[in-house]
Amino acid sequence: MWGGFFLVIPLITVHFVDGLGWAAASIGLVLGLRQLTQQGLTVFGGAWADRLGPKPLILAGCLIRTLGFGWMGFVSSLPELLAASVLAGIGGGLFDAPKSAAITAVTRPEHRARMFSLISIAGNLGMVTGPLLGAWMLSLGFQRASLVAASAYLVAFVLMLVTLPHLRPPPSQQTGMGGLKTALNDRVFRNFTLMLCGYFLLSTQLNVAVTLRAVELAGTGATGPLYALSAGLAVVLQYPLLRLAERHFRVRHVLVAAVLLVGLALGLMGLTRTFAQLLACVALYSFGTMLVFPMQQTLTARLAPPSMVGSYFGFSAISLGLGGAVGNFVGGALVDAGTRLQFPLLPWLTFALVALATAAGLGAVLREIPTREQMEARQKA
């Protein structure tokens, strides 16, 4: 699924702007609308999963995204492309949080961090292979590329239809939209989600400030090695690094340390003078980001009541949506401000300070979250 996503999304700009001469702003609107649709619907997708079970929502999401991506290859106007993009976003919003709820339901607590790590590795593998396949497919035409991307979700639909158990909760435990209200009123989880907005502001900088710095140092061809290094390291090292961290440290300590590592790497990027130095900082940055996702997902699963896991994962999408949206804007604005003020360190120092504030906030919040051993002791009692 990730491979199909990264096969077609980068090609939208290439095909419609470079190939057909559409305005770049219009394609920015298309891509932004898809992300906004998906993140907005993810909040509710998790709550629906608590009521219906995750399987029907995952299957429906795969089919709807198949239609959305397939339609993109046949559009001839901006309104059509916007509609296809919204359809693709709806599909993603339906399967995103239910996917995490399903993983939580079918894995034991002590294995969840590893499973979320494997899911993240799969995403990074798709991030590496998707654009490579898309670049080759473009020579065969955007229409064929969009159909191949759509087929990835159709294959996923068939596989999960056959293999994923139907995990619908009993009627007495179905919460519907009440799960979102519970998540909102859960002070510890609400603060945890809000603190993570700071991290997602930082994580988007690979696409904004870090990419601009790479192009400044090595030209437009630098983006390929940049993304390949980040995703490649995650594919190779994320799982063993996670196992090592799990063996020696608590989840909360790993999460805070990972956020600090991301901030340190971004701060050091302001001191780089060569592309090789920047890549070394990107490697450090990747070590941090590859640990945050499985730890965040594990803690979300730990905090969620058993009948509201989908709602909690849906609510947690707010941190990605809000932090990512602000990060995209702020990253570019800080780079521009640093250039205008002749203070190029401005964005990088700001990112480091955001990381310090985020880590401090997370440290305070996480002290209130019980460990897995404490949770198990409570359940036995």
Side-chain angles (χ1 to χ4, degrees), residues 230-317:
S230 178
L233 283 174
V235 170
V236 175
L237 296 178
Q238 184 171 31
Y239 191 76
L241 186 62
L242 176 69
R243 293 297 304 274
L244 182 66
E246 275 188 318
R247 194 174 300 121
H248 298 287
F249 306 101
R250 293 192 182 279
V251 171
R252 66 185 68 181
H253 298 150
V254 175
L255 180 58
V256 171
V259 171
L260 287 173
L261 193 60
V262 169
L264 174 63
L266 287 168
L268 290 173
M269 288 179 193
L271 303 176
T272 56
R273 295 292 176 266
T274 66
F275 185 53
Q277 291 174 344
L278 181 67
L279 288 180
C281 292
V282 169
L284 194 65
Y285 172 95
S286 300
F287 289 142
T289 58
M290 70 178 70
L291 285 173
V292 171
F293 174 77
M295 298 301 158
Q296 178 228 347
Q297 299 288 91
T298 300
L299 287 169
T300 298
R302 183 181 299 170
L303 285 167
S307 62
M308 301 179 187
V309 173
S311 296
Y312 271 60
F313 276 111
F315 187 84
S316 72

Side-chain angles (χ1 to χ4, degrees), residues 1 4 7 62 65-67 69-70 144-158:
M1 290 165 71
L7 187 158
C62 286
R65 178 156 283 187
T66 297
L67 295 174
F69 277 177
R144 292 182 180 178
S146 69
L147 290 175
V148 170
S151 69
Y153 291 88
L154 195 58
V155 170
F157 170 85
V158 174

Side-chain angles (χ1 to χ4, degrees), residues 48-381:
W48 295 332
D50 288 337
R51 185 169 185 83
L52 304 173
K55 183 171 183 175
L57 290 163
I58 293 172
L59 295 179
C62 286
L63 282 182
I64 292 173
R65 178 156 283 187
T66 297
L67 295 174
F69 277 177
W71 187 11
M72 285 181 182
F74 297 87
V75 302
S76 56
S77 66
L78 179 59
E80 283 185 290
L81 185 58
L82 285 170
S85 181
V86 167
L87 202 60
I90 291 172
L94 286 177
F95 64 62
D96 201 354
K99 169 202 67 180
S100 297
I103 292 169
T104 301
V106 300
T107 54
R108 294 199 298 272
E110 63 270 21
H111 294 159
R112 283 174 188 158
R114 293 173 223 167
M115 182 55 69
F116 285 122
S117 176
L118 291 174
I119 292 294
S120 183
I121 289 171
N124 282 287
L125 193 58
M127 194 185 301
V128 172
T129 58
L132 295 176
L133 181 59
W136 175 76
M137 286 295 302
L138 192 59
S139 64
L140 303 178
F142 179 73
Q143 187 178 100
R144 292 182 180 178
S146 69
L147 290 175
V148 170
S151 69
Y153 291 88
L154 195 58
V155 170
F157 170 85
V158 174
L159 287 174
M160 285 184 281
L161 177 67
V162 174
T163 62
L164 185 64
H166 191 13
L167 304 166
R168 185 175 182 176
S172 60
Q173 293 184 15
Q174 293 175 2
T175 57
M177 293 297 110
L180 286 178
K181 184 178 179 180
T182 300
L184 178 62
N185 292 330
D186 185 331
R187 182 183 58 82
V188 174
F189 182 67
R190 184 180 66 241
N191 291 341
F192 176 58
T193 300
L194 290 175
M195 285 297 105
L196 281 170
C197 289
Y199 164 73
F200 285 112
L201 184 152
L202 301 175
S203 69
T204 59
Q205 298 314 314
L206 185 67
N207 303 321
V208 187
V210 180
T211 294
L212 292 173
R213 182 63 176 158
V215 170
E216 179 186 351
L217 290 173
T220 55
T223 55
L226 186 75
Y227 287 101
L229 175 66
S230 178
L233 283 174
V235 170
V236 175
L237 296 178
Q238 184 171 31
Y239 191 76
L241 186 62
L242 176 69
R243 293 297 304 274
L244 182 66
E246 275 188 318
R247 194 174 300 121
H248 298 287
F249 306 101
R250 293 192 182 279
V251 171
R252 66 185 68 181
H253 298 150
V254 175
L255 180 58
V256 171
V259 171
L260 287 173
L261 193 60
V262 169
L264 174 63
L266 287 168
L268 290 173
M269 288 179 193
L271 303 176
T272 56
R273 295 292 176 266
T274 66
F275 185 53
Q277 291 174 344
L278 181 67
L279 288 180
C281 292
V282 169
L284 194 65
Y285 172 95
S286 300
F287 289 142
T289 58
M290 70 178 70
L291 285 173
V292 171
F293 174 77
M295 298 301 158
Q296 178 228 347
Q297 299 288 91
T298 300
L299 287 169
T300 298
R302 183 181 299 170
L303 285 167
S307 62
M308 301 179 187
V309 173
S311 296
Y312 271 60
F313 276 111
F315 187 84
S316 72
I318 292 173
S319 60
L320 172 58
L322 183 60
V326 173
N328 278 310
F329 172 76
V330 168
L334 284 171
V335 171
D336 288 341
T339 302
R340 188 171 59 253
L341 298 172
Q342 297 184 337
F343 184 40
L345 281 177
L346 176 64
W348 312 106
L349 288 176
T350 303
F351 298 146
L353 290 174
V354 169
L356 285 173
T358 301
L362 281 172
V365 172
L366 294 176
R367 278 195 289 270
E368 301 185 60
I369 298 178
T371 64
R372 191 178 75 227
E373 292 80 5
Q374 290 170 331
M375 293 287 287
E376 291 172 351
R378 289 181 186 178
Q379 290 172 357
K380 290 177 182 178

